[in-house]
Coordinates of all heavy atoms in Angstrom, one line a residue:
M1 N -199.9 109.8 -43.7 CA -200.9 108.8 -43.7 C -202.0 109.1 -42.6 O -201.6 109.5 -41.7 CB -200.1 107.5 -43.4 CG -201.0 106.3 -43.5 SD -200.3 104.7 -43.0 CE -198.8 104.6 -44.1
S2 N -203.2 108.9 -43.2 CA -204.3 109.2 -42.2 C -204.4 108.2 -41.1 O -203.9 107.1 -41.2 CB -205.6 109.3 -43.0 OG -206.0 107.9 -43.4
A3 N -205.2 108.5 -40.1 CA -205.3 107.6 -39.0 C -206.0 106.3 -39.4 O -205.7 105.3 -39.0 CB -206.1 108.2 -37.8
F4 N -207.0 106.4 -40.3 CA -207.6 105.2 -40.8 C -206.7 104.4 -41.6 O -206.8 103.2 -41.5 CB -209.0 105.6 -41.7 CG -209.5 104.4 -42.3 CD1 -210.3 103.6 -41.5 CD2 -209.2 104.0 -43.6 CE1 -210.9 102.3 -42.1 CE2 -209.8 102.9 -44.1 CZ -210.5 102.0 -43.4
E5 N -205.9 104.9 -42.5 CA -204.9 104.2 -43.2 C -203.9 103.5 -42.4 O -203.6 102.2 -42.6 CB -204.1 105.1 -44.2 CG -205.0 105.6 -45.4 CD -204.3 106.7 -46.2 OE1 -203.4 107.4 -45.6 OE2 -204.6 106.7 -47.4
E6 N -203.5 104.1 -41.2 CA -202.6 103.4 -40.4 C -203.3 102.1 -39.7 O -202.7 101.2 -39.6 CB -202.1 104.4 -39.3 CG -201.2 105.5 -39.8 CD -200.8 106.4 -38.7 OE1 -200.5 106.0 -37.5 OE2 -200.7 107.6 -39.0
F7 N -204.6 102.4 -39.2 CA -205.3 101.3 -38.6 C -205.5 100.2 -39.7 O -205.4 99.0 -39.3 CB -206.7 101.9 -38.1 CG -207.7 100.8 -38.1 CD1 -207.6 99.8 -37.2 CD2 -208.7 100.8 -38.9 CE1 -208.6 98.8 -37.1 CE2 -209.7 99.7 -39.0 CZ -209.6 98.7 -37.9
D8 N -205.9 100.5 -40.9 CA -206.2 99.5 -41.9 C -204.9 98.7 -42.2 O -205.0 97.5 -42.5 CB -206.7 100.3 -43.1 CG -207.4 99.3 -44.2 OD1 -208.2 98.4 -43.7 OD2 -207.1 99.3 -45.3
K9 N -203.9 99.3 -42.3 CA -202.6 98.6 -42.5 C -202.3 97.6 -41.4 O -202.0 96.5 -41.7 CB -201.4 99.7 -42.6 CG -200.1 99.0 -42.9 CD -199.0 100.0 -43.0 CE -197.6 99.3 -43.2 NZ -196.9 99.2 -42.0
E10 N -202.5 98.1 -40.2 CA -202.3 97.1 -39.0 C -203.3 96.0 -38.9 O -202.9 94.8 -38.7 CB -202.2 98.0 -37.7 CG -201.1 98.9 -37.6 CD -201.1 99.7 -36.3 OE1 -202.0 99.7 -35.6 OE2 -200.0 100.3 -35.8
R11 N -204.5 96.4 -39.2 CA -205.6 95.4 -39.3 C -205.3 94.4 -40.4 O -205.5 93.2 -40.1 CB -206.9 96.0 -39.6 CG -208.2 95.1 -39.6 CD -209.4 95.6 -40.2 NE -209.2 96.2 -41.5 CZ -209.1 95.4 -42.7 NH1 -209.3 94.2 -42.6 NH2 -209.1 96.0 -43.8
Q12 N -204.8 94.7 -41.6 CA -204.5 93.7 -42.6 C -203.4 92.9 -42.1 O -203.4 91.7 -42.5 CB -204.2 94.5 -43.9 CG -205.4 95.1 -44.5 CD -205.0 96.0 -45.8 OE1 -203.8 95.9 -46.3 NE2 -205.9 96.8 -46.3
E13 N -202.4 93.4 -41.5 CA -201.3 92.6 -41.0 C -201.7 91.5 -39.9 O -201.5 90.4 -40.0 CB -200.3 93.4 -40.4 CG -199.5 94.3 -41.3 CD -198.5 95.3 -40.6 OE1 -198.6 95.5 -39.4 OE2 -197.6 95.8 -41.3
I14 N -202.7 91.9 -39.1 CA -203.2 91.0 -38.1 C -204.0 89.9 -38.8 O -203.8 88.8 -38.5 CB -204.1 91.8 -37.1 CG1 -203.4 92.7 -36.2 CG2 -205.0 90.8 -36.3 CD1 -204.2 93.7 -35.5
D15 N -204.9 90.3 -39.7 CA -205.7 89.4 -40.5 C -205.0 88.4 -41.4 O -205.3 87.2 -41.4 CB -206.9 90.2 -41.3 CG -207.9 90.9 -40.4 OD1 -207.9 90.7 -39.2 OD2 -208.6 91.7 -41.0
S16 N -204.0 89.0 -41.9 CA -203.1 88.1 -42.8 C -202.4 86.9 -41.9 O -202.4 85.8 -42.3 CB -202.0 88.9 -43.5 OG -201.2 88.1 -44.1
L17 N -201.9 87.4 -40.8 CA -201.3 86.3 -39.9 C -202.3 85.3 -39.4 O -202.0 84.1 -39.4 CB -200.6 87.0 -38.6 CG -199.3 87.7 -39.0 CD1 -198.9 88.6 -37.9 CD2 -198.2 86.8 -39.4
L18 N -203.4 85.7 -39.0 CA -204.5 84.7 -38.5 C -204.9 83.9 -39.7 O -205.1 82.6 -39.5 CB -205.6 85.6 -38.0 CG -205.4 86.3 -36.7 CD1 -206.6 87.1 -36.3 CD2 -205.0 85.4 -35.7
Q19 N -205.1 84.3 -40.9 CA -205.4 83.6 -42.1 C -204.4 82.5 -42.5 O -204.6 81.5 -43.0 CB -205.9 84.4 -43.3 CG -207.1 85.1 -43.0 CD -207.4 86.2 -44.1 OE1 -206.6 86.5 -45.0 NE2 -208.7 86.7 -44.0
Q20 N -203.1 82.8 -42.0 CA -202.0 81.9 -42.3 C -201.8 80.9 -41.3 O -201.0 80.1 -41.2 CB -200.7 82.7 -42.3 CG -200.6 83.6 -43.6 CD -199.3 84.6 -43.5 OE1 -198.3 84.1 -43.1 NE2 -199.4 85.7 -43.8
G21 N -202.7 80.9 -40.3 CA -202.7 79.8 -39.2 C -202.0 80.3 -37.9 O -201.8 79.4 -37.0
Y22 N -201.7 81.5 -37.8 CA -201.1 81.9 -36.5 C -202.2 82.2 -35.5 O -203.4 82.5 -36.0 CB -200.3 83.3 -36.8 CG -199.0 83.1 -37.5 CD1 -198.8 83.1 -38.8 CD2 -197.7 82.9 -36.6 CE1 -197.7 82.9 -39.4 CE2 -196.5 82.8 -37.2 CZ -196.5 82.7 -38.6 OH -195.3 82.5 -39.2
S23 N -201.9 82.2 -34.3 CA -202.8 82.6 -33.1 C -202.1 83.6 -32.2 O -200.8 83.5 -32.2 CB -203.4 81.4 -32.5 OG -202.3 80.6 -31.9
V24 N -202.8 84.3 -31.5 CA -202.3 85.3 -30.6 C -201.8 84.5 -29.4 O -202.5 83.8 -28.7 CB -203.3 86.3 -30.2 CG1 -202.7 87.3 -29.2 CG2 -203.8 87.1 -31.5
A25 N -200.4 84.7 -29.0 CA -199.9 84.1 -27.9 C -199.7 85.1 -26.7 O -199.6 84.7 -25.5 CB -198.6 83.5 -28.2
G26 N -199.7 86.4 -26.9 CA -199.6 87.4 -25.9 C -199.7 88.7 -26.4 O -199.4 89.1 -27.6
I27 N -200.0 89.7 -25.5 CA -200.2 91.1 -25.7 C -199.4 91.7 -24.6 O -199.7 91.5 -23.5 CB -201.6 91.6 -25.9 CG1 -202.4 90.8 -27.0 CG2 -201.6 93.1 -26.2 CD1 -203.8 91.2 -27.2
F28 N -198.5 92.6 -25.0 CA -197.6 93.4 -24.0 C -197.9 94.8 -24.3 O -197.5 95.4 -25.5 CB -196.2 93.0 -24.1 CG -196.1 91.5 -24.1 CD1 -195.9 90.6 -25.2 CD2 -196.2 90.8 -22.8 CE1 -195.9 89.2 -25.1 CE2 -196.0 89.4 -22.7 CZ -195.9 88.7 -23.9
E29 N -198.5 95.6 -23.5 CA -198.6 97.0 -23.8 C -197.6 97.9 -23.0 O -197.1 97.4 -21.9 CB -200.0 97.5 -23.1 CG -201.1 96.9 -23.8 CD -201.9 97.8 -24.7 OE1 -201.7 98.9 -24.6 OE2 -203.0 97.2 -25.3
D30 N -197.1 98.9 -23.6 CA -196.1 99.8 -23.1 C -196.4 101.2 -23.6 O -197.4 101.4 -24.4 CB -194.8 99.3 -23.2 CG -194.2 99.2 -24.6 OD1 -194.8 99.8 -25.5 OD2 -193.3 98.4 -24.8
L31 N -195.6 102.1 -23.4 CA -195.7 103.4 -23.9 C -195.6 103.7 -25.4 O -196.1 104.5 -25.9 CB -194.9 104.5 -23.2 CG -195.1 104.6 -21.7 CD1 -194.0 105.5 -21.0 CD2 -196.5 105.2 -21.4
D32 N -194.9 102.5 -25.9 CA -194.8 102.6 -27.5 C -196.0 102.1 -28.2 O -196.1 102.3 -29.5 CB -193.6 101.9 -27.8 CG -192.3 102.5 -27.3 OD1 -192.3 103.7 -27.2 OD2 -191.3 101.7 -27.1
G33 N -196.9 101.3 -27.6 CA -198.0 100.7 -28.3 C -198.2 99.4 -27.6 O -197.8 99.0 -26.5
A34 N -198.8 98.5 -28.5 CA -199.0 97.1 -28.0 C -198.3 96.1 -28.9 O -198.3 96.2 -30.2 CB -200.5 96.7 -28.1
R35 N -197.5 95.3 -28.3 CA -196.6 94.3 -28.9 C -197.5 93.0 -28.8 O -197.7 92.5 -27.8 CB -195.2 94.0 -28.4 CG -194.5 95.2 -28.5 CD -193.1 95.0 -27.9 NE -192.4 96.3 -27.7 CZ -191.8 97.1 -28.6 NH1 -191.9 96.5 -29.9 NH2 -191.2 98.2 -28.5
V36 N -197.9 92.5 -30.1 CA -198.7 91.3 -30.1 C -197.8 90.2 -30.7 O -197.3 90.3 -31.7 CB -200.0 91.5 -31.0 CG1 -200.9 90.2 -31.0 CG2 -200.8 92.7 -30.5
K37 N -197.8 89.0 -29.8 CA -196.9 87.9 -30.3 C -197.9 86.9 -30.8 O -198.9 86.5 -30.3 CB -196.2 87.3 -29.1 CG -195.2 86.3 -29.5 CD -194.5 85.7 -28.3 CE -193.4 84.7 -28.6 NZ -192.7 84.2 -27.5
F38 N -197.5 86.5 -32.1 CA -198.3 85.5 -32.8 C -197.4 84.2 -32.9 O -196.2 84.2 -33.1 CB -198.7 85.9 -34.2 CG -199.7 87.0 -34.3 CD1 -199.2 88.4 -34.1 CD2 -201.0 86.8 -34.4 CE1 -200.1 89.4 -34.2 CE2 -201.9 87.9 -34.5 CZ -201.4 89.2 -34.4
I39 N -198.1 83.0 -32.7 CA -197.3 81.7 -32.9 C -198.1 80.9 -33.9 O -199.4 81.0 -34.0 CB -197.1 81.0 -31.6 CG1 -198.4 80.7 -30.8 CG2 -196.1 81.8 -30.7 CD1 -198.3 79.7 -29.6
R40 N -197.4 80.0 -34.5 CA -198.0 79.0 -35.3 C -197.9 77.7 -34.8 O -196.8 77.3 -34.3 CB -197.3 79.1 -36.7 CG -198.1 78.6 -37.8 CD -197.3 78.9 -39.1 NE -198.3 78.7 -40.3 CZ -197.9 79.1 -41.5 NH1 -196.8 79.5 -41.7 NH2 -198.8 78.9 -42.4
R41 N -198.9 76.9 -34.8 CA -198.8 75.5 -34.2 C -198.1 74.5 -35.0 O -197.8 73.5 -34.5 CB -200.3 75.0 -34.0 CG -201.1 75.9 -33.1 CD -200.8 75.5 -31.6 NE -201.8 76.5 -30.8 CZ -201.3 77.0 -29.7 NH1 -200.1 76.8 -29.3 NH2 -202.1 77.9 -29.0
E42 N -197.8 74.9 -36.3 CA -197.0 73.9 -37.2 C -195.6 73.8 -36.7 O -195.0 74.8 -36.3 CB -197.2 74.3 -38.6 CG -198.6 74.3 -39.1 CD -198.7 74.8 -40.5 OE1 -197.7 75.0 -41.1 OE2 -199.9 75.0 -40.9
P43 N -195.0 72.6 -37.0 CA -193.5 72.6 -36.7 C -192.7 73.5 -37.5 O -193.0 73.8 -38.7 CB -193.2 71.2 -37.0 CG -194.5 70.4 -37.0 CD -195.5 71.4 -37.4
G44 N -191.8 74.2 -37.0 CA -191.0 75.1 -37.7 C -191.5 76.5 -37.9 O -190.9 77.3 -38.5
G45 N -192.7 76.7 -37.3 CA -193.4 78.0 -37.4 C -192.8 79.0 -36.5 O -192.9 78.8 -35.2
A46 N -192.1 79.9 -36.9 CA -191.3 80.9 -36.0 C -192.4 81.9 -35.6 O -193.4 82.3 -36.2 CB -190.3 81.7 -36.8
P47 N -192.2 82.4 -34.2 CA -193.2 83.4 -33.8 C -192.9 84.7 -34.5 O -191.9 84.9 -34.9 CB -192.7 83.5 -32.2 CG -191.5 82.7 -32.1 CD -191.3 81.9 -33.3
V48 N -194.0 85.5 -34.5 CA -194.0 86.8 -35.1 C -194.5 87.8 -34.2 O -195.5 87.4 -33.4 CB -194.9 86.8 -36.4 CG1 -195.0 88.2 -36.9 CG2 -194.4 85.8 -37.5
E49 N -194.0 89.0 -34.1 CA -194.3 90.1 -33.2 C -194.7 91.3 -34.0 O -194.0 91.8 -34.9 CB -193.3 90.4 -32.1 CG -193.7 91.3 -31.1 CD -192.8 91.5 -30.0 OE1 -192.5 90.5 -29.2 OE2 -192.0 92.6 -30.0
L50 N -195.9 91.9 -33.7 CA -196.3 93.0 -34.4 C -196.4 94.1 -33.3 O -196.9 93.9 -32.2 CB -197.7 92.9 -35.0 CG -197.8 92.2 -36.3 CD1 -199.3 92.2 -36.6 CD2 -197.0 92.7 -37.4
L51 N -196.0 95.5 -33.7 CA -196.1 96.5 -32.8 C -197.3 97.3 -33.3 O -197.3 97.8 -34.5 CB -195.0 97.4 -32.8 CG -195.0 98.7 -32.1 CD1 -195.3 98.4 -30.4 CD2 -193.7 99.5 -32.2
L52 N -198.4 97.3 -32.6 CA -199.6 98.0 -32.9 C -199.6 99.4 -32.3 O -199.5 99.6 -31.1 CB -200.8 97.3 -32.6 CG -201.0 95.8 -33.0 CD1 -202.2 95.2 -32.5 CD2 -200.9 95.8 -34.6
L53 N -199.6 100.4 -33.2 CA -199.6 101.8 -32.7 C -201.0 102.5 -32.5 O -201.1 103.4 -31.8 CB -198.7 102.7 -33.6 CG -197.3 102.1 -33.8 CD1 -196.5 102.9 -34.8 CD2 -196.6 102.1 -32.4
T54 N -202.0 101.9 -33.4 CA -203.2 102.5 -33.3 C -204.1 101.9 -32.3 O -204.2 100.7 -32.1 CB -204.0 102.6 -34.7 OG1 -204.2 101.1 -34.9 CG2 -203.1 103.3 -35.7
A55 N -205.0 102.6 -31.6 CA -205.9 102.1 -30.6 C -207.0 101.3 -31.4 O -207.3 100.1 -30.8 CB -206.7 103.2 -29.9
D56 N -207.3 101.6 -32.5 CA -208.3 100.7 -33.3 C -207.8 99.4 -33.6 O -208.5 98.4 -33.6 CB -208.8 101.4 -34.5 CG -209.7 102.7 -34.2 OD1 -210.3 102.6 -33.2 OD2 -209.8 103.7 -34.9
A57 N -206.6 99.2 -33.9 CA -205.9 98.0 -34.1 C -205.9 97.1 -32.9 O -206.0 95.9 -33.0 CB -204.6 98.1 -34.8
R58 N -205.6 97.7 -31.8 CA -205.5 97.0 -30.6 C -206.9 96.5 -30.2 O -207.0 95.4 -29.7 CB -204.9 97.9 -29.4 CG -203.5 98.2 -29.7 CD -202.8 98.9 -28.4 NE -203.4 100.1 -28.0 CZ -202.9 101.3 -28.3 NH1 -202.1 101.5 -29.2 NH2 -203.7 102.4 -27.8
K59 N -207.9 97.3 -30.3 CA -209.3 96.9 -30.1 C -209.7 95.8 -31.1 O -210.3 94.9 -30.7 CB -210.3 98.0 -30.4 CG -210.3 99.1 -29.3 CD -211.5 100.2 -29.6 CE -210.8 101.4 -29.9 NZ -211.8 102.5 -30.2
H60 N -209.2 95.8 -32.4 CA -209.5 94.8 -33.3 C -209.0 93.5 -32.8 O -209.7 92.4 -32.9 CB -208.9 95.2 -34.7 CG -209.2 94.1 -35.9 ND1 -210.4 93.9 -36.3 CD2 -208.2 93.3 -36.5 CE1 -210.2 92.8 -37.2 NE2 -209.1 92.6 -37.4
V61 N -207.7 93.4 -32.4 CA -207.1 92.1 -32.0 C -207.7 91.6 -30.7 O -208.0 90.4 -30.7 CB -205.6 92.2 -31.9 CG1 -205.1 92.8 -30.6 CG2 -205.0 90.9 -32.0
T62 N -208.1 92.5 -29.8 CA -208.8 92.0 -28.6 C -210.2 91.5 -28.9 O -210.7 90.6 -28.4 CB -208.7 93.0 -27.5 OG1 -209.3 94.2 -27.9 CG2 -207.4 93.2 -27.0
T63 N -210.8 92.0 -29.8 CA -212.2 91.7 -30.2 C -212.1 90.3 -30.8 O -212.9 89.4 -30.6 CB -212.9 92.7 -31.2 OG1 -213.0 93.9 -30.6 CG2 -214.2 92.2 -31.7
L64 N -211.2 90.1 -31.6 CA -210.9 88.7 -32.3 C -210.8 87.6 -31.2 O -211.1 86.5 -31.3 CB -209.8 88.8 -33.4 CG -210.1 89.5 -34.7 CD1 -208.8 89.7 -35.5 CD2 -211.2 88.9 -35.4
I65 N -209.9 88.1 -30.2 CA -209.6 87.2 -29.2 C -210.8 86.8 -28.4 O -211.1 85.5 -28.2 CB -208.4 87.6 -28.2 CG1 -207.2 87.7 -29.0 CG2 -208.4 86.8 -27.0 CD1 -206.1 88.5 -28.2
F66 N -211.6 87.7 -28.0 CA -212.8 87.5 -27.2 C -213.9 86.8 -27.9 O -214.7 86.1 -27.3 CB -213.3 88.8 -26.4 CG -212.5 89.2 -25.2 CD1 -211.6 90.2 -25.3 CD2 -212.7 88.3 -24.0 CE1 -210.8 90.5 -24.3 CE2 -211.7 88.8 -22.9 CZ -210.9 89.8 -23.1
S67 N -214.0 87.1 -29.2 CA -215.1 86.5 -30.0 C -214.7 85.1 -30.4 O -215.6 84.2 -30.8 CB -215.4 87.3 -31.2 OG -214.4 87.3 -32.1
G68 N -213.4 84.7 -30.3 CA -213.0 83.4 -30.7 C -213.0 83.2 -32.3 O -213.0 82.1 -32.7
S69 N -213.2 84.3 -33.0 CA -213.3 84.1 -34.5 C -212.2 84.5 -35.3 O -211.3 85.3 -34.7 CB -214.6 84.8 -34.9 OG -214.3 86.2 -34.7
K70 N -212.1 84.1 -36.4 CA -211.1 84.6 -37.4 C -211.6 85.6 -38.2 O -212.9 85.8 -38.3 CB -210.7 83.3 -38.3 CG -210.1 82.2 -37.5 CD -208.9 81.8 -38.2 CE -208.3 80.6 -37.3 NZ -206.9 80.4 -37.5
P71 N -210.7 86.5 -38.7 CA -211.2 87.6 -39.6 C -211.9 87.2 -40.8 O -211.7 86.0 -41.2 CB -210.0 88.4 -39.9 CG -208.9 87.3 -39.8 CD -209.3 86.4 -38.8
A72 N -212.8 87.9 -41.4 CA -213.6 87.6 -42.5 C -212.6 87.6 -43.6 O -211.5 88.3 -43.7 CB -214.7 88.7 -42.8
A73 N -212.9 86.9 -44.7 CA -212.2 86.8 -46.0 C -212.0 88.3 -46.5 O -213.1 89.1 -46.5 CB -212.7 85.9 -47.0
P74 N -210.9 88.8 -47.1 CA -210.8 90.0 -47.6 C -211.9 90.3 -48.7 O -212.2 89.4 -49.5 CB -209.4 90.2 -48.3 CG -208.8 88.8 -48.0 CD -209.8 88.0 -47.3
I75 N -212.4 91.5 -48.8 CA -213.3 91.8 -49.8 C -212.6 92.5 -51.0 O -211.9 93.3 -50.9 CB -214.4 92.9 -49.3 CG1 -215.1 92.3 -48.2 CG2 -215.4 93.4 -50.4 CD1 -216.1 93.2 -47.4
E76 N -212.8 91.9 -52.2 CA -212.2 92.4 -53.4 C -213.0 93.6 -53.9 O -214.2 93.5 -54.0 CB -212.1 91.3 -54.4 CG -211.1 90.2 -54.0 CD -211.0 89.1 -55.1 OE1 -211.2 89.4 -56.3 OE2 -210.8 88.0 -54.8
S77 N -212.3 94.6 -54.3 CA -212.9 95.8 -54.9 C -212.9 95.6 -56.4 O -212.0 95.1 -57.0 CB -212.3 97.1 -54.4 OG -211.4 97.6 -55.5
H78 N -214.0 96.0 -57.0 CA -214.2 95.9 -58.4 C -214.2 97.3 -59.1 O -215.1 97.6 -59.8 CB -215.4 95.1 -58.8 CG -215.5 93.8 -58.2 ND1 -214.8 92.7 -58.7 CD2 -216.2 93.2 -57.2 CE1 -215.0 91.6 -58.2 NE2 -215.8 91.9 -57.1
T79 N -213.1 98.0 -58.7 CA -213.1 99.5 -59.3 C -212.3 99.5 -60.6 O -211.6 98.6 -60.9 CB -212.5 100.4 -58.4 OG1 -211.6 99.8 -57.5 CG2 -213.6 101.1 -57.6

């Protein structure tokens, strides 16, 4: 898998969680990557943790945090 494909997979996982109503509760960096904890404000919403291995995915999640925005809706390809 190419570096871009790895990043794109992680970005899609992040964006999907945010679109489902999750928000970032914490980021924990270690030598394995960044563990991002997501929580859902709704009752019964179990926390989810993603391990981000690519630097671009870590940049993506921190950019979303600092901008205070949600990801854009996915673009459908018409191929």
Side-chain angles (χ1 to χ4, degrees):
M1 184 179 310
S2 74
F4 176 77
E5 289 172 331
E6 289 179 42
F7 156 68
D8 195 46
K9 180 179 178 268
E10 292 179 345
R11 181 194 54 79
Q12 288 176 13
E13 290 173 343
I14 294 164
D15 291 351
S16 175
L17 286 170
L18 294 175
Q19 289 172 351
Q20 293 174 41
Y22 284 88
S23 60
V24 177
I27 301 175
F28 308 96
E29 297 250 355
D30 59 22
L31 296 176
D32 293 329
R35 296 180 192 284
V36 182
K37 184 176 183 180
F38 293 86
I39 58 170
R40 199 173 199 175
R41 300 278 180 219
E42 297 175 8
V48 175
E49 187 174 286
L50 286 181
L51 175 61
L52 303 179
L53 302 175
T54 65
D56 288 330
R58 294 191 303 265
K59 286 187 253 181
H60 178 66
V61 78
T62 55
T63 299
L64 291 172
I65 291 169
F66 282 105
S67 70
S69 65
K70 298 229 177 204
I75 299 172
E76 294 182 25
S77 101
H78 298 288
T79 31

